[in-house]
Amino acid sequence: MNKNKKWRNAGLYALLAIVVIALATAFLDQEPQNQKTWRYSKFVNQVESGKIEQVKISSDRSQAMVTAQDGTQIQVNLPPDDPQLLDVLTENGVDISIQPQEDEGFLFRILSSLFFPVLLLVGLFFLLRRAQGGPGSQAMNFGKSKAKVQMEPQTNVTFGDVAGIEQAKLELNEVVDFLKNAERFTDVGAKIPKGALLVGPPGTGKTLLARAVAGEAGVPFLSISGSEFVEMFVGVGASRVRDMFEQAKSNAPCIIFIDEIDAVGRQRGAGLGGGNDEREQTLNQLLTEMDGFEENTGIIVIAATNRSDVLDQALLRPGRFDREIVVDRPDYAGRLDILNVHARGKTLAKDVDLDKIARRTPGFTGADLSNLLNEAAIFAARRSLTEISMDEVNDAIDRVLAGPEKKDRVMSEKRKSLVAYHEAGHALVGALMPDYDPVQKISIIPRGGAGGLTWFTPSEERMDSGLYSRSYLQNQMAVALGGRIAEEIIFGEEEVTTGASNDLQQVAKVARQMVTSLGMSDRLGPVALGRQQSNPFMGRDIASERDFSDETAAAVDEEVRNLVDQAYRRCKEVLVGNRHILDKLAQSLIEKETVDAEELQVMLTENEVQMAALT
């Protein structure tokens, strides 16, 4: 502060000195003004009398400064365009001079003499402010942290606003409790966790949890995104990390939240050509600040990412991020709690059953459910309704899953019949396959890029565990082939269309995974073929290395073909044996465009059904 004041005083003194010098210069340059004025007639008489020694005529010839022989100076106003004046002066031997330009006014002279010095001083003043890191400085402020500091966080979010991720809430609630009641933990020798890493798919509520921690903890909160550390200049990111932790130390105890930390915390030296120097220096500084030679007491770092697999191992070790908290997709109970939270403030009709919505939306994240209810509210407003009914919710679910309806698309009768039989084939095979997901709804209304859709309700248990049996995968391939085989049965092999291209790709993918990755081949046995690339920056997610012979590759192709042929036979047996139900279901779709699960179940109950074989 004293240094800034010293510079400010020096600038004021310099400005005062410049003003004094300019005023003195203007006064010295100003010619003395004569108080005596003659009329033009008297001036001419004095010239003819030989009493005038010198005449200075202004540039516009409107005035003259006359010097008499006794040294007296007189001002004379000249008449415009007098052609005889110069002749009279010359004949009488008067010294004549004409000024090259008009004599400037006194005030203008002062301002002109001050302009450039003042401009120079103002520029010097702003340069000094930038050099001192004053407000508005950008050139010298690269190394300053861009973290948003809230001494008393006002996020308006508490743990009561976070639902469906109870385990993650419990883990973070302990951190908040430690900040509020540290004695209870220190008495038994417990130390506060230095860092908590929130890991999970997008939309599961990681940032929302951090905002809730800020609202609950009641301590200073610094929030920043991982991408805000890195700039084009090497060393800037590391400087920002240092500055952020200096702010945190001065306000300890406090919480630092780094969102999308994978932008700066990726594994070092993993790319070809040496990697990214700026990002690696920033990461090194972050590692040092979190757990280096100097201890950061009272600073808790919370970070969020959906790509924990690419983070550097030194960042994940205990002492830096002591806890890795998984924020996963909610189960049925979690989805119900989330729906109850997002239903606040929305006018729901009596027929809206949140329990039914939760069961119908397996795999939805908190962000998906929030968007779902918002879309339902938009549908209600668009239809001029005062309440959100179950119809709007169902339409919103279909829109979120498959895109908006395209009811304005004109379909010919042949095309409508083709799509109806295609979707009826999927639905009928799915309904008659043992231990497969139940059919939820069938529609031939175009949505997105699909001409029609068949919705299935996935098993909650399968999705939570991630365990799928061999029979389920075989059924999945048979169901995917249902549309193509229905077209063959009804319209003939020559009339099949390209509508089943995605279905065929799915069948081939599942069959190859069963053989090469899941060990579900009778011929090859329980063996995994092909190694995944281990470098995260070399296309690890899409590339694999072949580690088997050409003979094994041929055997893999044969096994894939056998699995597809087996699924084809099972699917065709179901559709041929239940042709009468296939025709009724397709006709119902042509007439009503949509058939729900209850209508399909009634149709199966009222007709004789031939079930699919187990193998």
Side-chain angles (χ1 to χ4, degrees), residues 569-600:
R569 289 193 300 271
R570 294 180 68 210
C571 178
K572 192 166 187 178
E573 288 175 5
V574 171
L575 293 179
V576 171
N578 298 280
R579 170 68 186 273
H580 56 296
I581 302 178
L582 178 66
D583 293 334
K584 290 182 179 179
L585 181 56
Q587 188 61 35
S588 180
L589 284 170
I590 294 172
E591 295 174 357
K592 300 190 297 183
E593 293 187 334
T594 300
V595 173
D596 57 24
E598 290 77 8
E599 293 176 280
L600 176 60

PDB file of all heavy atoms in Angstrom, residues 569-600:
ATOM      1  N   ARG A 569     -33.367 -68.825 -36.574  1.00  0.00           N
ATOM      2  CA  ARG A 569     -34.309 -69.950 -36.577  1.00  0.00           C
ATOM      3  C   ARG A 569     -35.349 -69.791 -35.462  1.00  0.00           C
ATOM      4  O   ARG A 569     -36.546 -70.017 -35.691  1.00  0.00           O
ATOM      5  CB  ARG A 569     -33.544 -71.264 -36.424  1.00  0.00           C
ATOM      6  CG  ARG A 569     -32.735 -71.668 -37.642  1.00  0.00           C
ATOM      7  CD  ARG A 569     -32.279 -73.117 -37.529  1.00  0.00           C
ATOM      8  NE  ARG A 569     -31.442 -73.324 -36.342  1.00  0.00           N
ATOM      9  CZ  ARG A 569     -30.109 -73.179 -36.343  1.00  0.00           C
ATOM     10  NH1 ARG A 569     -29.478 -72.810 -37.452  1.00  0.00           N
ATOM     11  NH2 ARG A 569     -29.424 -73.421 -35.241  1.00  0.00           N
ATOM     12  N   ARG A 570     -34.892 -69.432 -34.263  1.00  0.00           N
ATOM     13  CA  ARG A 570     -35.833 -69.279 -33.137  1.00  0.00           C
ATOM     14  C   ARG A 570     -36.855 -68.186 -33.431  1.00  0.00           C
ATOM     15  O   ARG A 570     -38.050 -68.338 -33.170  1.00  0.00           O
ATOM     16  CB  ARG A 570     -35.070 -68.941 -31.853  1.00  0.00           C
ATOM     17  CG  ARG A 570     -34.164 -70.057 -31.351  1.00  0.00           C
ATOM     18  CD  ARG A 570     -33.457 -69.607 -30.091  1.00  0.00           C
ATOM     19  NE  ARG A 570     -34.403 -69.458 -28.988  1.00  0.00           N
ATOM     20  CZ  ARG A 570     -34.252 -68.585 -27.999  1.00  0.00           C
ATOM     21  NH1 ARG A 570     -33.216 -67.777 -27.972  1.00  0.00           N
ATOM     22  NH2 ARG A 570     -35.143 -68.525 -27.024  1.00  0.00           N
ATOM     23  N   CYS A 571     -36.383 -67.077 -33.963  1.00  0.00           N
ATOM     24  CA  CYS A 571     -37.287 -65.954 -34.252  1.00  0.00           C
ATOM     25  C   CYS A 571     -38.318 -66.343 -35.318  1.00  0.00           C
ATOM     26  O   CYS A 571     -39.510 -66.050 -35.174  1.00  0.00           O
ATOM     27  CB  CYS A 571     -36.458 -64.750 -34.706  1.00  0.00           C
ATOM     28  SG  CYS A 571     -37.450 -63.306 -35.157  1.00  0.00           S
ATOM     29  N   LYS A 572     -37.854 -67.026 -36.357  1.00  0.00           N
ATOM     30  CA  LYS A 572     -38.773 -67.378 -37.446  1.00  0.00           C
ATOM     31  C   LYS A 572     -39.813 -68.392 -36.976  1.00  0.00           C
ATOM     32  O   LYS A 572     -40.990 -68.326 -37.384  1.00  0.00           O
ATOM     33  CB  LYS A 572     -37.975 -67.925 -38.633  1.00  0.00           C
ATOM     34  CG  LYS A 572     -38.808 -68.046 -39.901  1.00  0.00           C
ATOM     35  CD  LYS A 572     -37.923 -68.248 -41.122  1.00  0.00           C
ATOM     36  CE  LYS A 572     -38.770 -68.193 -42.385  1.00  0.00           C
ATOM     37  NZ  LYS A 572     -37.935 -68.329 -43.610  1.00  0.00           N
ATOM     38  N   GLU A 573     -39.418 -69.346 -36.109  1.00  0.00           N
ATOM     39  CA  GLU A 573     -40.369 -70.318 -35.571  1.00  0.00           C
ATOM     40  C   GLU A 573     -41.481 -69.618 -34.789  1.00  0.00           C
ATOM     41  O   GLU A 573     -42.657 -69.972 -34.896  1.00  0.00           O
ATOM     42  CB  GLU A 573     -39.642 -71.309 -34.666  1.00  0.00           C
ATOM     43  CG  GLU A 573     -38.766 -72.307 -35.409  1.00  0.00           C
ATOM     44  CD  GLU A 573     -37.987 -73.190 -34.455  1.00  0.00           C
ATOM     45  OE1 GLU A 573     -38.229 -73.060 -33.219  1.00  0.00           O
ATOM     46  OE2 GLU A 573     -37.145 -73.987 -34.906  1.00  0.00           O
ATOM     47  N   VAL A 574     -41.132 -68.612 -34.008  1.00  0.00           N
ATOM     48  CA  VAL A 574     -42.137 -67.877 -33.218  1.00  0.00           C
ATOM     49  C   VAL A 574     -43.095 -67.137 -34.137  1.00  0.00           C
ATOM     50  O   VAL A 574     -44.328 -67.203 -33.964  1.00  0.00           O
ATOM     51  CB  VAL A 574     -41.443 -66.899 -32.253  1.00  0.00           C
ATOM     52  CG1 VAL A 574     -42.474 -65.974 -31.601  1.00  0.00           C
ATOM     53  CG2 VAL A 574     -40.677 -67.651 -31.188  1.00  0.00           C
ATOM     54  N   LEU A 575     -42.585 -66.450 -35.146  1.00  0.00           N
ATOM     55  CA  LEU A 575     -43.448 -65.647 -36.004  1.00  0.00           C
ATOM     56  C   LEU A 575     -44.319 -66.517 -36.906  1.00  0.00           C
ATOM     57  O   LEU A 575     -45.501 -66.210 -37.136  1.00  0.00           O
ATOM     58  CB  LEU A 575     -42.595 -64.685 -36.838  1.00  0.00           C
ATOM     59  CG  LEU A 575     -41.874 -63.574 -36.054  1.00  0.00           C
ATOM     60  CD1 LEU A 575     -41.049 -62.708 -36.985  1.00  0.00           C
ATOM     61  CD2 LEU A 575     -42.887 -62.718 -35.291  1.00  0.00           C
ATOM     62  N   VAL A 576     -43.761 -67.597 -37.436  1.00  0.00           N
ATOM     63  CA  VAL A 576     -44.566 -68.483 -38.284  1.00  0.00           C
ATOM     64  C   VAL A 576     -45.633 -69.183 -37.450  1.00  0.00           C
ATOM     65  O   VAL A 576     -46.788 -69.332 -37.876  1.00  0.00           O
ATOM     66  CB  VAL A 576     -43.653 -69.506 -38.999  1.00  0.00           C
ATOM     67  CG1 VAL A 576     -44.500 -70.567 -39.712  1.00  0.00           C
ATOM     68  CG2 VAL A 576     -42.742 -68.805 -39.999  1.00  0.00           C
ATOM     69  N   GLY A 577     -45.271 -69.655 -36.260  1.00  0.00           N
ATOM     70  CA  GLY A 577     -46.237 -70.341 -35.413  1.00  0.00           C
ATOM     71  C   GLY A 577     -47.325 -69.436 -34.854  1.00  0.00           C
ATOM     72  O   GLY A 577     -48.380 -69.910 -34.446  1.00  0.00           O
ATOM     73  N   ASN A 578     -47.088 -68.136 -34.820  1.00  0.00           N
ATOM     74  CA  ASN A 578     -48.073 -67.178 -34.297  1.00  0.00           C
ATOM     75  C   ASN A 578     -48.435 -66.137 -35.353  1.00  0.00           C
ATOM     76  O   ASN A 578     -48.626 -64.955 -35.048  1.00  0.00           O
ATOM     77  CB  ASN A 578     -47.509 -66.474 -33.060  1.00  0.00           C
ATOM     78  CG  ASN A 578     -47.211 -67.431 -31.923  1.00  0.00           C
ATOM     79  OD1 ASN A 578     -48.100 -67.832 -31.184  1.00  0.00           O
ATOM     80  ND2 ASN A 578     -45.931 -67.817 -31.790  1.00  0.00           N
ATOM     81  N   ARG A 579     -48.544 -66.602 -36.589  1.00  0.00           N
ATOM     82  CA  ARG A 579     -48.841 -65.687 -37.705  1.00  0.00           C
ATOM     83  C   ARG A 579     -50.169 -64.962 -37.490  1.00  0.00           C
ATOM     84  O   ARG A 579     -50.300 -63.770 -37.806  1.00  0.00           O
ATOM     85  CB  ARG A 579     -48.877 -66.494 -38.999  1.00  0.00           C
ATOM     86  CG  ARG A 579     -49.409 -65.759 -40.223  1.00  0.00           C
ATOM     87  CD  ARG A 579     -48.473 -64.645 -40.671  1.00  0.00           C
ATOM     88  NE  ARG A 579     -49.044 -63.868 -41.754  1.00  0.00           N
ATOM     89  CZ  ARG A 579     -48.915 -64.191 -43.055  1.00  0.00           C
ATOM     90  NH1 ARG A 579     -48.220 -65.271 -43.407  1.00  0.00           N
ATOM     91  NH2 ARG A 579     -49.450 -63.440 -43.983  1.00  0.00           N
ATOM     92  N   HIS A 580     -51.168 -65.637 -36.941  1.00  0.00           N
ATOM     93  CA  HIS A 580     -52.476 -65.011 -36.752  1.00  0.00           C
ATOM     94  C   HIS A 580     -52.378 -63.839 -35.766  1.00  0.00           C
ATOM     95  O   HIS A 580     -53.028 -62.799 -35.940  1.00  0.00           O
ATOM     96  CB  HIS A 580     -53.491 -66.043 -36.256  1.00  0.00           C
ATOM     97  CG  HIS A 580     -53.083 -66.746 -35.000  1.00  0.00           C
ATOM     98  ND1 HIS A 580     -51.973 -67.574 -34.899  1.00  0.00           N
ATOM     99  CD2 HIS A 580     -53.652 -66.729 -33.755  1.00  0.00           C
ATOM    100  CE1 HIS A 580     -51.863 -68.054 -33.668  1.00  0.00           C
ATOM    101  NE2 HIS A 580     -52.862 -67.556 -32.958  1.00  0.00           N
ATOM    102  N   ILE A 581     -51.569 -63.987 -34.713  1.00  0.00           N
ATOM    103  CA  ILE A 581     -51.400 -62.885 -33.751  1.00  0.00           C
ATOM    104  C   ILE A 581     -50.598 -61.748 -34.400  1.00  0.00           C
ATOM    105  O   ILE A 581     -50.872 -60.568 -34.169  1.00  0.00           O
ATOM    106  CB  ILE A 581     -50.701 -63.389 -32.478  1.00  0.00           C
ATOM    107  CG1 ILE A 581     -51.490 -64.525 -31.848  1.00  0.00           C
ATOM    108  CG2 ILE A 581     -50.520 -62.258 -31.479  1.00  0.00           C
ATOM    109  CD1 ILE A 581     -50.834 -65.115 -30.609  1.00  0.00           C
ATOM    110  N   LEU A 582     -49.611 -62.106 -35.230  1.00  0.00           N
ATOM    111  CA  LEU A 582     -48.829 -61.089 -35.925  1.00  0.00           C
ATOM    112  C   LEU A 582     -49.718 -60.228 -36.810  1.00  0.00           C
ATOM    113  O   LEU A 582     -49.602 -58.984 -36.818  1.00  0.00           O
ATOM    114  CB  LEU A 582     -47.728 -61.772 -36.760  1.00  0.00           C
ATOM    115  CG  LEU A 582     -46.831 -60.855 -37.591  1.00  0.00           C
ATOM    116  CD1 LEU A 582     -45.982 -59.958 -36.683  1.00  0.00           C
ATOM    117  CD2 LEU A 582     -45.923 -61.677 -38.512  1.00  0.00           C
ATOM    118  N   ASP A 583     -50.650 -60.876 -37.542  1.00  0.00           N
ATOM    119  CA  ASP A 583     -51.555 -60.114 -38.411  1.00  0.00           C
ATOM    120  C   ASP A 583     -52.465 -59.200 -37.599  1.00  0.00           C
ATOM    121  O   ASP A 583     -52.692 -58.034 -37.965  1.00  0.00           O
ATOM    122  CB  ASP A 583     -52.389 -61.072 -39.263  1.00  0.00           C
ATOM    123  CG  ASP A 583     -51.531 -61.826 -40.281  1.00  0.00           C
ATOM    124  OD1 ASP A 583     -50.480 -61.287 -40.661  1.00  0.00           O
ATOM    125  OD2 ASP A 583     -51.915 -62.946 -40.664  1.00  0.00           O
ATOM    126  N   LYS A 584     -53.012 -59.709 -36.487  1.00  0.00           N
ATOM    127  CA  LYS A 584     -53.909 -58.892 -35.665  1.00  0.00           C
ATOM    128  C   LYS A 584     -53.175 -57.695 -35.053  1.00  0.00           C
ATOM    129  O   LYS A 584     -53.705 -56.578 -35.012  1.00  0.00           O
ATOM    130  CB  LYS A 584     -54.522 -59.744 -34.556  1.00  0.00           C
ATOM    131  CG  LYS A 584     -55.531 -60.763 -35.050  1.00  0.00           C
ATOM    132  CD  LYS A 584     -56.141 -61.533 -33.886  1.00  0.00           C
ATOM    133  CE  LYS A 584     -57.171 -62.544 -34.389  1.00  0.00           C
ATOM    134  NZ  LYS A 584     -57.769 -63.316 -33.273  1.00  0.00           N
ATOM    135  N   LEU A 585     -51.958 -57.931 -34.578  1.00  0.00           N
ATOM    136  CA  LEU A 585     -51.193 -56.845 -33.966  1.00  0.00           C
ATOM    137  C   LEU A 585     -50.832 -55.789 -35.001  1.00  0.00           C
ATOM    138  O   LEU A 585     -50.954 -54.573 -34.738  1.00  0.00           O
ATOM    139  CB  LEU A 585     -49.922 -57.412 -33.316  1.00  0.00           C
ATOM    140  CG  LEU A 585     -49.001 -56.411 -32.610  1.00  0.00           C
ATOM    141  CD1 LEU A 585     -49.752 -55.633 -31.547  1.00  0.00           C
ATOM    142  CD2 LEU A 585     -47.796 -57.123 -32.009  1.00  0.00           C
ATOM    143  N   ALA A 586     -50.440 -56.220 -36.198  1.00  0.00           N
ATOM    144  CA  ALA A 586     -50.102 -55.256 -37.243  1.00  0.00           C
ATOM    145  C   ALA A 586     -51.322 -54.468 -37.685  1.00  0.00           C
ATOM    146  O   ALA A 586     -51.247 -53.247 -37.904  1.00  0.00           O
ATOM    147  CB  ALA A 586     -49.478 -55.992 -38.441  1.00  0.00           C
ATOM    148  N   GLN A 587     -52.487 -55.146 -37.797  1.00  0.00           N
ATOM    149  CA  GLN A 587     -53.704 -54.434 -38.186  1.00  0.00           C
ATOM    150  C   GLN A 587     -54.104 -53.417 -37.130  1.00  0.00           C
ATOM    151  O   GLN A 587     -54.557 -52.309 -37.452  1.00  0.00           O
ATOM    152  CB  GLN A 587     -54.832 -55.452 -38.404  1.00  0.00           C
ATOM    153  CG  GLN A 587     -56.095 -54.859 -38.995  1.00  0.00           C
ATOM    154  CD  GLN A 587     -55.863 -54.254 -40.367  1.00  0.00           C
ATOM    155  OE1 GLN A 587     -55.062 -54.766 -41.154  1.00  0.00           O
ATOM    156  NE2 GLN A 587     -56.558 -53.144 -40.640  1.00  0.00           N
ATOM    157  N   SER A 588     -53.940 -53.770 -35.864  1.00  0.00           N
ATOM    158  CA  SER A 588     -54.258 -52.827 -34.789  1.00  0.00           C
ATOM    159  C   SER A 588     -53.338 -51.609 -34.846  1.00  0.00           C
ATOM    160  O   SER A 588     -53.762 -50.478 -34.611  1.00  0.00           O
ATOM    161  CB  SER A 588     -54.137 -53.541 -33.441  1.00  0.00           C
ATOM    162  OG  SER A 588     -54.432 -52.666 -32.380  1.00  0.00           O
ATOM    163  N   LEU A 589     -52.072 -51.824 -35.185  1.00  0.00           N
ATOM    164  CA  LEU A 589     -51.148 -50.704 -35.311  1.00  0.00           C
ATOM    165  C   LEU A 589     -51.509 -49.810 -36.488  1.00  0.00           C
ATOM    166  O   LEU A 589     -51.410 -48.574 -36.402  1.00  0.00           O
ATOM    167  CB  LEU A 589     -49.711 -51.229 -35.477  1.00  0.00           C
ATOM    168  CG  LEU A 589     -49.022 -51.763 -34.222  1.00  0.00           C
ATOM    169  CD1 LEU A 589     -47.714 -52.458 -34.585  1.00  0.00           C
ATOM    170  CD2 LEU A 589     -48.751 -50.631 -33.233  1.00  0.00           C
ATOM    171  N   ILE A 590     -51.940 -50.410 -37.590  1.00  0.00           N
ATOM    172  CA  ILE A 590     -52.331 -49.608 -38.752  1.00  0.00           C
ATOM    173  C   ILE A 590     -53.526 -48.734 -38.415  1.00  0.00           C
ATOM    174  O   ILE A 590     -53.617 -47.567 -38.823  1.00  0.00           O
ATOM    175  CB  ILE A 590     -52.635 -50.527 -39.957  1.00  0.00           C
ATOM    176  CG1 ILE A 590     -51.361 -51.231 -40.422  1.00  0.00           C
ATOM    177  CG2 ILE A 590     -53.262 -49.740 -41.101  1.00  0.00           C
ATOM    178  CD1 ILE A 590     -51.583 -52.302 -41.478  1.00  0.00           C
ATOM    179  N   GLU A 591     -54.450 -49.263 -37.630  1.00  0.00           N
ATOM    180  CA  GLU A 591     -55.666 -48.517 -37.290  1.00  0.00           C
ATOM    181  C   GLU A 591     -55.410 -47.463 -36.209  1.00  0.00           C
ATOM    182  O   GLU A 591     -55.892 -46.335 -36.307  1.00  0.00           O
ATOM    183  CB  GLU A 591     -56.755 -49.493 -36.822  1.00  0.00           C
ATOM    184  CG  GLU A 591     -57.239 -50.451 -37.899  1.00  0.00           C
ATOM    185  CD  GLU A 591     -58.192 -51.489 -37.355  1.00  0.00           C
ATOM    186  OE1 GLU A 591     -58.425 -51.485 -36.113  1.00  0.00           O
ATOM    187  OE2 GLU A 591     -58.690 -52.318 -38.142  1.00  0.00           O
ATOM    188  N   LYS A 592     -54.673 -47.813 -35.167  1.00  0.00           N
ATOM    189  CA  LYS A 592     -54.526 -46.909 -34.016  1.00  0.00           C
ATOM    190  C   LYS A 592     -53.149 -46.280 -33.885  1.00  0.00           C
ATOM    191  O   LYS A 592     -52.968 -45.365 -33.066  1.00  0.00           O
ATOM    192  CB  LYS A 592     -54.855 -47.671 -32.731  1.00  0.00           C
ATOM    193  CG  LYS A 592     -56.275 -48.227 -32.682  1.00  0.00           C
ATOM    194  CD  LYS A 592     -56.624 -48.763 -31.313  1.00  0.00           C
ATOM    195  CE  LYS A 592     -55.766 -49.922 -30.915  1.00  0.00           C
ATOM    196  NZ  LYS A 592     -56.151 -50.503 -29.600  1.00  0.00           N
ATOM    197  N   GLU A 593     -52.172 -46.750 -34.621  1.00  0.00           N
ATOM    198  CA  GLU A 593     -50.788 -46.257 -34.631  1.00  0.00           C
ATOM    199  C   GLU A 593     -50.010 -46.600 -33.369  1.00  0.00           C
ATOM    200  O   GLU A 593     -48.787 -46.624 -33.388  1.00  0.00           O
ATOM    201  CB  GLU A 593     -50.735 -44.735 -34.871  1.00  0.00           C
ATOM    202  CG  GLU A 593     -51.187 -44.314 -36.236  1.00  0.00           C
ATOM    203  CD  GLU A 593     -50.954 -42.838 -36.492  1.00  0.00           C
ATOM    204  OE1 GLU A 593     -50.916 -42.067 -35.508  1.00  0.00           O
ATOM    205  OE2 GLU A 593     -50.792 -42.459 -37.659  1.00  0.00           O
ATOM    206  N   THR A 594     -50.690 -46.840 -32.252  1.00  0.00           N
ATOM    207  CA  THR A 594     -49.998 -47.150 -31.003  1.00  0.00           C
ATOM    208  C   THR A 594     -50.748 -48.245 -30.260  1.00  0.00           C
ATOM    209  O   THR A 594     -51.984 -48.199 -30.149  1.00  0.00           O
ATOM    210  CB  THR A 594     -49.892 -45.904 -30.093  1.00  0.00           C
ATOM    211  OG1 THR A 594     -49.165 -44.880 -30.783  1.00  0.00           O
ATOM    212  CG2 THR A 594     -49.158 -46.231 -28.805  1.00  0.00           C
ATOM    213  N   VAL A 595     -50.003 -49.229 -29.749  1.00  0.00           N
ATOM    214  CA  VAL A 595     -50.581 -50.311 -28.937  1.00  0.00           C
ATOM    215  C   VAL A 595     -49.753 -50.394 -27.664  1.00  0.00           C
ATOM    216  O   VAL A 595     -48.524 -50.498 -27.722  1.00  0.00           O
ATOM    217  CB  VAL A 595     -50.546 -51.659 -29.696  1.00  0.00           C
ATOM    218  CG1 VAL A 595     -50.987 -52.799 -28.784  1.00  0.00           C
ATOM    219  CG2 VAL A 595     -51.416 -51.593 -30.945  1.00  0.00           C
ATOM    220  N   ASP A 596     -50.432 -50.359 -26.517  1.00  0.00           N
ATOM    221  CA  ASP A 596     -49.692 -50.413 -25.254  1.00  0.00           C
ATOM    222  C   ASP A 596     -49.592 -51.854 -24.756  1.00  0.00           C
ATOM    223  O   ASP A 596     -50.103 -52.805 -25.367  1.00  0.00           O
ATOM    224  CB  ASP A 596     -50.342 -49.520 -24.195  1.00  0.00           C
ATOM    225  CG  ASP A 596     -51.800 -49.877 -23.946  1.00  0.00           C
ATOM    226  OD1 ASP A 596     -52.197 -51.032 -24.203  1.00  0.00           O
ATOM    227  OD2 ASP A 596     -52.540 -48.995 -23.470  1.00  0.00           O
ATOM    228  N   ALA A 597     -48.937 -52.033 -23.613  1.00  0.00           N
ATOM    229  CA  ALA A 597     -48.663 -53.367 -23.081  1.00  0.00           C
ATOM    230  C   ALA A 597     -49.942 -54.117 -22.722  1.00  0.00           C
ATOM    231  O   ALA A 597     -50.045 -55.335 -22.932  1.00  0.00           O
ATOM    232  CB  ALA A 597     -47.751 -53.240 -21.853  1.00  0.00           C
ATOM    233  N   GLU A 598     -50.941 -53.393 -22.178  1.00  0.00           N
ATOM    234  CA  GLU A 598     -52.187 -54.058 -21.775  1.00  0.00           C
ATOM    235  C   GLU A 598     -52.914 -54.635 -22.975  1.00  0.00           C
ATOM    236  O   GLU A 598     -53.425 -55.768 -22.936  1.00  0.00           O
ATOM    237  CB  GLU A 598     -53.096 -53.072 -21.027  1.00  0.00           C
ATOM    238  CG  GLU A 598     -52.599 -52.678 -19.642  1.00  0.00           C
ATOM    239  CD  GLU A 598     -51.467 -51.663 -19.686  1.00  0.00           C
ATOM    240  OE1 GLU A 598     -51.183 -51.152 -20.797  1.00  0.00           O
ATOM    241  OE2 GLU A 598     -50.862 -51.394 -18.636  1.00  0.00           O
ATOM    242  N   GLU A 599     -52.985 -53.869 -24.060  1.00  0.00           N
ATOM    243  CA  GLU A 599     -53.664 -54.356 -25.264  1.00  0.00           C
ATOM    244  C   GLU A 599     -52.942 -55.574 -25.839  1.00  0.00           C
ATOM    245  O   GLU A 599     -53.583 -56.530 -26.297  1.00  0.00           O
ATOM    246  CB  GLU A 599     -53.724 -53.240 -26.304  1.00  0.00           C
ATOM    247  CG  GLU A 599     -54.615 -52.078 -25.902  1.00  0.00           C
ATOM    248  CD  GLU A 599     -54.576 -50.953 -26.922  1.00  0.00           C
ATOM    249  OE1 GLU A 599     -53.617 -50.173 -26.891  1.00  0.00           O
ATOM    250  OE2 GLU A 599     -55.502 -50.886 -27.758  1.00  0.00           O
ATOM    251  N   LEU A 600     -51.614 -55.564 -25.839  1.00  0.00           N
ATOM    252  CA  LEU A 600     -50.864 -56.710 -26.342  1.00  0.00           C
ATOM    253  C   LEU A 600     -51.098 -57.940 -25.467  1.00  0.00           C
ATOM    254  O   LEU A 600     -51.277 -59.062 -25.982  1.00  0.00           O
ATOM    255  CB  LEU A 600     -49.373 -56.374 -26.390  1.00  0.00           C
ATOM    256  CG  LEU A 600     -48.434 -57.515 -26.816  1.00  0.00           C
ATOM    257  CD1 LEU A 600     -48.769 -58.002 -28.215  1.00  0.00           C
ATOM    258  CD2 LEU A 600     -46.982 -57.073 -26.733  1.00  0.00           C
TER     259      LEU A 600
END
